[in-house]
Amino acid sequence: MTSDKDAPTMMAKRIVEMATEDPGLPRPSPSIAFWQEPPHSISDIQSPKLPDKVDYVIIGSGITACSVANTLLNYPALSNKRVAVFEARGLTSGATGRNGGHLVSPFALEFSMLSAAFGIEKAAEVARFSYKSMDRVYEVVDALDARIQKAAEVRRVTTVTNFLDTRSYERARESVRQFAEACPDLASEVVILTAEQTKKKYNFTMSSGAVEHPAGALWPYRLITGIFAKLLEQHSTRFSIDTNTPVSKVSYDRGNAPYSYTLETPRGSINAAQVVYCTNGFTSHLLPALRGKIFPLRGTMSTQTLSPTAPNHGAKYSWSIVYEPTHDPENGISSVGLYYLTQNAKTGDFYLGGEKQKYDEILVSDDTVVPDLPADNLAALMTGLFASPEETEFTTHPKRIWAGIMGFTADHMPLVGKLDSKWTWNSGDGEWIAAGFNGHGMDKCWLVGETLGGMIAGEDVKGKLPDLYQITDKRLEERMQAEIVPVSLFRLPEHASS
C-alpha cells in the first residue's frame, strides 16, 4: 500500500516516464481553435505531386518554420535553392495557431531565477534577445501589405502582471531590480505597482501588487498564414507547402549526395540536401535521442464573450495573473501559477489561457480533446478576476475552448542549431533544429528562425544567438537530463526527484 510520503516520489517518477515517451505525430482532427476560424485559403494546400528533390525541407509550419523559410527564400546567395515545408495537419495548426496571441517577454519577472541558474551575463543575453525579437516582429509586420496587417491585428500594449500572493510579488520586485541593473535600457518602461494602485487602476478583485511592462497582442494564425501565402506568390517556382503530409521518418544515404536525406510521408518520399526540424512538442518522435530533453505539454485556451458592462481595453492592455504554483501529489492536480489574457480590440472578446489539471493530462501530445477540469476552470475564472466599474459583477460566456501542444525542454531553454549525428542517429551533418520554446515562443521564434536560417546559409551568427539556446553535447548530456523535469517544471520538493 502506498503511503502519503511516497506520493511525491511516485509522481516525479511518472513525470519522467511521460517526458521520455514517444509523442507520436500530431493527431488528426484537433480541438478547434478560435484563431483558425475561418481557415486561410491555403490551410490545406498540397502540391499536385511531391517534389523529387529540394535543397531544404522544413518540417512544421508555425512561426519559427515561417521565419526560417522566409530567411532562406530571401537570402541572396540562395536564390536558386528550393525550399519545401511539410505540415502534418492544416497550415499553422500547431502551437502558433492555438496560443494566446500574447507577444510578451517573461524576463523582467524571471530575471532573478535565470541569473541564479546561469549567471547575470547569460540572463541578460537571453533577455535582450527576447526584447529584440519582439521588436523584429513589429518591423516584419510594418513591411507587410495592408491586407495582412489588418488581418493580423498586431498592436503594442502594456501588459499588467498581477500577483495574487505576497511571496510571488516580492520575488518579482527583486527580479525587476536585478533586471534594471543588468539591462537598464530595457527596464525603463517596467513599473512596479502596489496592491492598492493595482486594484484602483485595473479593477482587479484580488492583488498583492503588479508589474507593468511592454508587450504586444496579435492574431498569430492570420499573420503566419498570410506570410506563407505571400512567399508562395513571390517564389512560386522554388517554394512549396504540403499540408496534411506528416513526415514519419528521416533517413540518410551518402550515396544520394547532395540530396542524401530521404523523408517518408504517406504521399510518398522526398529527397533533400538539408532538413530543418521546427516541430516543437512533437520533435522527439523523429529524433528519439532527444526524448526527455524536449517533450510535449498540453495547454488550454479559451475565447470568452463578456457582458455589455465590461470595458474594452484590448488596444491598450494585456494581462497576466501570477500566483504560487500548487501541487497535490495525492490526486495529481497541479496549478502552474499563471493565467494570461489578451482582449480583442474590436469585439471585446477575451482570450484566456492557463492550467489547472492533473499532471498526467498535461504531459501529453493529444490536442484533440480538452479535459473537463481545465475547461471548467477557465470558464469560471473570468467572472471573479475583475470588478466592474459600476461595482456589479460582470459575466462571461466561453465561445470556444481548445487545447494546444507546446514544446518544453528540461533546462527551459530552446534548442537551436545544427544537430550532431549522435542526436539524429543519421551519419550526415545537414540536420537543424529550432524547437522547445517552453510556452514563451512568441517573443523568440521569429528572430530564432532568422538566426537559424542565417546559420544554414553559412553565415557567421556569433553573438546573435544566446549561448543558452545553442546545442552542445555538454548541455544535452548534463543540463538536460529528464530527471530534472519534475523539479524544473512543477517545483516539487527536492526529495521527489531523487
Side-chain angles (χ1 to χ4, degrees):
M1 186 172 180
T2 303
S3 66
D4 290 346
K5 68 178 182 179
D6 293 329
T9 301
M10 295 180 64
M11 177 178 172
K13 182 179 179 181
R14 179 56 184 147
I15 289 171
V16 172
E17 290 175 349
M18 296 186 76
T20 53
E21 290 175 354
D22 180 358
L25 290 167
R27 311 299 194 271
S29 303
S31 54
I32 300 172
F34 176 87
W35 302 112
Q36 298 171 34
E37 298 179 296
H40 195 280
S41 60
I42 62 168
S43 62
D44 292 312
I45 189 171
Q46 289 185 343
S47 306
K49 179 181 179 297
L50 291 184
D52 295 325
K53 299 176 181 178
V54 297
D55 297 283
Y56 307 103
V57 163
I58 301 168
I59 307 174
S61 66
I63 185 172
T64 311
C66 184
S67 180
V68 172
N70 182 69
T71 302
L72 294 175
L73 288 166
N74 291 298
Y75 208 90
L78 305 180
S79 59
N80 64 336
K81 302 296 184 180
R82 181 157 189 179
V83 178
V85 165
F86 283 83
E87 168 57 54
R89 304 187 299 203
L91 190 66
T92 316
S93 60
T96 298
R98 315 183 75 78
N99 66 27
H102 210 183
L103 181 61
V104 60
S105 172
F107 295 114
L109 306 179
E110 296 183 1
F111 193 86
S112 59
M113 180 177 65
L114 197 61
S115 62
F118 302 112
I120 293 176
E121 184 177 335
K122 291 192 182 301
E125 186 179 39
V126 167
R128 290 188 180 282
F129 184 89
S130 171
Y131 276 72
K132 184 178 180 181
S133 185
M134 289 196 298
D135 286 341
R136 182 63 185 137
V137 171
Y138 298 131
E139 292 172 358
V140 169
V141 171
D142 287 345
L144 295 172
D145 63 65
R147 177 178 51 84
I148 301 177
Q149 290 179 350
K150 182 179 180 181
E153 299 182 13
V154 179
R155 55 207 184 273
R156 294 175 185 261
V157 300
T158 295
T159 195
V160 185
T161 301
N162 179 35
F163 298 90
L164 300 186
D165 62 281
T166 302
R167 184 178 177 185
S168 296
Y169 175 60
E170 292 302 329
R171 187 163 51 232
R173 283 170 56 91
E174 173 59 20
S175 186
V176 169
R177 185 191 67 78
Q178 293 184 27
F179 178 69
E181 288 185 357
C183 308
D185 52 321
L186 300 181
S188 60
E189 296 180 76
V190 180
V191 178
I192 298 174
L193 302 177
T194 65
E196 292 74 20
Q197 290 171 326
T198 304
K199 290 178 181 179
K200 182 178 180 180
K201 186 173 182 179
Y202 295 108
N203 293 308
F204 282 113
T205 55
M206 294 176 57
S207 179
S208 292
V211 176
E212 299 174 336
H213 49 116
L218 68 154
W219 199 302
Y221 173 79
R222 289 181 179 175
L223 175 63
I224 299 307
T225 53
I227 294 175
F228 270 129
K230 179 183 176 182
L231 292 174
L232 284 171
E233 293 173 5
Q234 294 176 331
H235 306 281
S236 58
T237 62
R238 61 190 189 94
F239 180 46
S240 60
I241 298 176
D242 281 277
T243 63
N244 302 297
T245 309
V247 175
S248 57
K249 184 179 179 181
V250 179
S251 57
Y252 180 84
D253 183 352
R254 192 182 306 275
N256 291 334
Y259 302 100
S260 301
Y261 290 95
T262 300
L263 291 82
E264 298 179 12
T265 82
R267 298 173 56 217
S269 61
I270 181 174
N271 293 322
Q274 301 194 56
V275 181
V276 187
Y277 298 91
C278 297
T279 41
N280 220 20
F282 299 94
T283 296
S284 69
H285 176 66
L286 293 174
L287 297 169
L290 296 182
R291 287 178 193 164
K293 305 179 189 305
I294 182 169
F295 53 91
L297 188 146
R298 181 169 62 191
T300 315
M301 267 300 303
S302 68
T303 306
Q304 304 195 29
T305 300
L306 278 72
S307 61
T309 60
N312 187 344
H313 297 303
K316 189 176 181 180
Y317 295 114
S318 65
W319 305 262
S320 293
I321 311 297
V322 173
Y323 57 96
E324 282 292 293
T326 61
H327 285 293
D328 188 334
E330 293 185 13
N331 61 24
I333 295 177
S334 301
S335 295
V336 300
L338 172 67
Y339 295 105
Y340 39 92
L341 307 92
T342 60
Q343 189 176 20
N344 188 295
K346 297 178 180 178
T347 67
D349 288 347
F350 261 105
Y351 307 109
L352 169 64
E355 304 314 313
K356 179 182 180 180
Q357 59 176 302
K358 293 184 177 181
Y359 71 88
D360 57 1
E361 292 186 337
I362 297 177
L363 292 168
V364 297
S365 57
D366 183 359
D367 57 3
T368 64
V369 297
V370 182
D372 290 340
L373 179 58
D376 293 344
N377 181 52
L378 290 183
L381 191 67
M382 274 296 299
T383 299
L385 284 181
F386 299 100
S388 167
E390 292 80 16
E391 297 183 356
T392 58
E393 185 180 78
F394 63 79
T395 58
T396 63
H397 174 71
K399 296 174 68 173
R400 182 76 71 184
I401 300 178
W402 65 94
I405 307 304
M406 298 171 278
F408 273 64
T409 61
D411 67 353
H412 283 250
M413 290 290 125
L415 274 171
V416 185
K418 179 179 280 191
L419 288 163
D420 186 86
S421 59
K422 70 188 297 183
W423 304 112
T424 66
W425 295 351
N426 287 321
S427 56
D429 65 349
E431 292 176 77
W432 308 79
I433 188 172
F437 293 96
N438 296 280
H440 271 287
M442 295 285 282
D443 66 305
K444 305 173 184 66
C445 287
W446 190 269
L447 192 55
V448 161
E450 289 187 334
T451 307
L452 183 64
M455 294 171 67
I456 295 169
E459 181 182 326
D460 181 3
V461 299
K462 185 177 181 180
K464 293 185 177 181
L465 189 73
D467 285 345
L468 293 176
Y469 290 10
Q470 298 183 36
I471 298 170
T472 65
D473 286 348
K474 181 178 177 65
R475 177 189 175 193
L476 288 168
E477 292 169 352
E478 297 179 14
R479 212 172 82 203
M480 298 188 70
Q481 291 298 317
E483 286 71 19
I484 72 173
V485 170
V487 175
S488 65
L489 189 61
F490 293 105
R491 303 185 198 175
L492 293 172
E494 289 186 10
H495 70 274
S497 61
S498 60

